[in-house]
Amino acid sequence: MLELSDAQIGGWVGSFLLPLFRIAALLMTMPIFGTKLVPVRVRLYLSLAICLVLLPTLPAMPQVDALNVQTLVLIAQEVLIGVMLGFVLQLFFHAFVIAGQIVSMQMGLGFASMVDPTNGISVPVIGQFFTMLVTLLFLAMNGHLVVFEVLAESFVTLPVGGGFLTNQYWDIATKLGWVFGAALILVLPAITALLVINLAFGVMTRASPQFNIFTIGFPLTVVLGLVIIWIGLADILAQYEVFAREALLFLREMAQAR
């Protein structure tokens, strides 16, 4: 009969399960891997695989008691670190989602919604288009590899069992409101152009009230809005690089990585 001592169980919990909670929390909350498109079982297997790969390179883990309240506190701390790292990436992706929703409302496509499979809610079609676009750009530019690199470095800069709720940590967390500014910057040219178009229709209606401008105004606004978005896609890569660099720098600063 196999007998395990408390020291052996505590060593296994400290060396494998505690890092696994941080990795799994990140994969459960980050975009792409943490969406409903990826089954929970697949995310769990991926967390186990990443943990096994990182295990030989991780620093020494604390010896813990598997049935101690202190162990539960350490588990909660690891889950919180992983969730906060994933939350930064969610803000970065939602900047493009909000940008698409703002344009949809401005061009009259707010009623044209479709089910977002990643979040399980209905969003405007332009917002869903921007979501797919930023997902492909993130994977094509190896953004997921940078995230995994920061995750591996976080075990050195934020060791298991060490304090992480420092003033610098919360100062960085309060700066994450840049997502709304990023969304406005992305769609500001399109909003300005659509505003000029609506003002032109208003002038035409004022000049000739008998002319039913709403008959051609709505479809023309939609068509011109799509043309404006198509023209604006020429500069989307440069804007994506700026916001992705800023988001990944936020991620490194939160993990206190180099």
Side-chain angles (χ1 to χ4, degrees):
M1 182 177 179
L2 179 62
E3 294 183 0
L4 299 176
S5 63
D6 294 339
Q8 290 175 323
I9 297 177
W12 290 347
V13 171
S15 61
F16 183 77
L17 288 183
L18 289 179
L20 178 63
F21 279 110
R22 183 184 300 190
I23 297 171
L26 174 63
L27 292 181
M28 293 296 177
T29 55
M30 70 176 293
I32 304 175
F33 298 102
T35 60
K36 295 184 178 181
L37 296 176
V38 182
V40 177
R41 185 176 298 178
V42 174
R43 282 178 271 176
L44 180 58
Y45 290 156
L46 184 59
S47 302
L48 291 172
I50 295 175
C51 187
L52 289 175
V53 172
L54 294 179
L55 194 60
T57 63
L58 297 181
M61 298 294 167
Q63 187 75 19
V64 297
D65 186 0
L67 301 177
N68 195 353
V69 178
Q70 183 181 2
T71 304
L72 298 179
V73 175
L74 291 177
I75 292 174
Q77 176 177 314
E78 294 304 304
V79 171
L80 182 59
I81 293 176
V83 169
M84 289 301 295
L85 294 179
F87 180 69
V88 175
L89 298 174
Q90 287 286 357
L91 288 179
F92 166 63
F93 272 67
H94 278 76
F96 290 84
V97 177
I98 294 174
Q101 292 177 351
I102 292 175
V103 174
S104 297
M105 296 298 178
Q106 189 69 21
M107 61 189 293
L109 280 180
F111 67 92
S113 301
M114 63 181 298
V115 176
D116 183 4
T118 60
N119 298 315
I121 59 176
S122 296
V123 296
V125 290
I126 305 300
Q128 182 63 18
F129 171 73
F130 276 21
T131 301
M132 294 186 292
L133 179 62
V134 70
T135 300
L136 295 176
L137 288 175
F138 189 78
L139 294 175
M141 302 183 71
N142 294 328
H144 58 294
L145 299 181
V146 177
V147 174
F148 293 148
E149 179 185 359
V150 174
L151 175 64
E153 293 182 6
S154 68
F155 287 101
V156 179
T157 57
L158 298 175
V160 176
F164 70 99
L165 295 177
T166 60
N167 294 332
Q168 181 185 5
Y169 184 89
W170 291 114
D171 289 341
I172 295 172
T174 56
K175 298 178 183 178
L176 298 180
W178 64 271
V179 59
F180 301 104
L184 290 177
I185 293 175
L186 283 170
V187 299
L188 190 58
I191 291 177
T192 305
L194 290 172
L195 179 61
V196 172
I197 294 172
N198 291 327
L199 288 176
F201 287 146
V203 172
M204 293 173 60
T205 305
R206 189 68 176 177
S208 55
Q210 70 278 6
F211 185 67
N212 189 6
I213 195 62
F214 294 102
T215 305
I216 62 171
F218 176 73
L220 190 59
T221 302
V222 173
V223 172
L224 292 177
L226 294 176
V227 173
I228 292 169
I229 293 175
W230 174 61
I231 296 174
L233 289 178
D235 193 45
I236 192 67
L237 182 58
Q239 295 176 336
Y240 168 82
E241 290 178 351
V242 173
F243 297 136
R245 186 183 303 110
E246 189 172 354
L248 293 176
L249 285 177
F250 275 149
L251 190 67
R252 286 186 176 275
E253 290 177 2
M254 290 190 67
Q256 300 177 5
R258 297 186 300 272

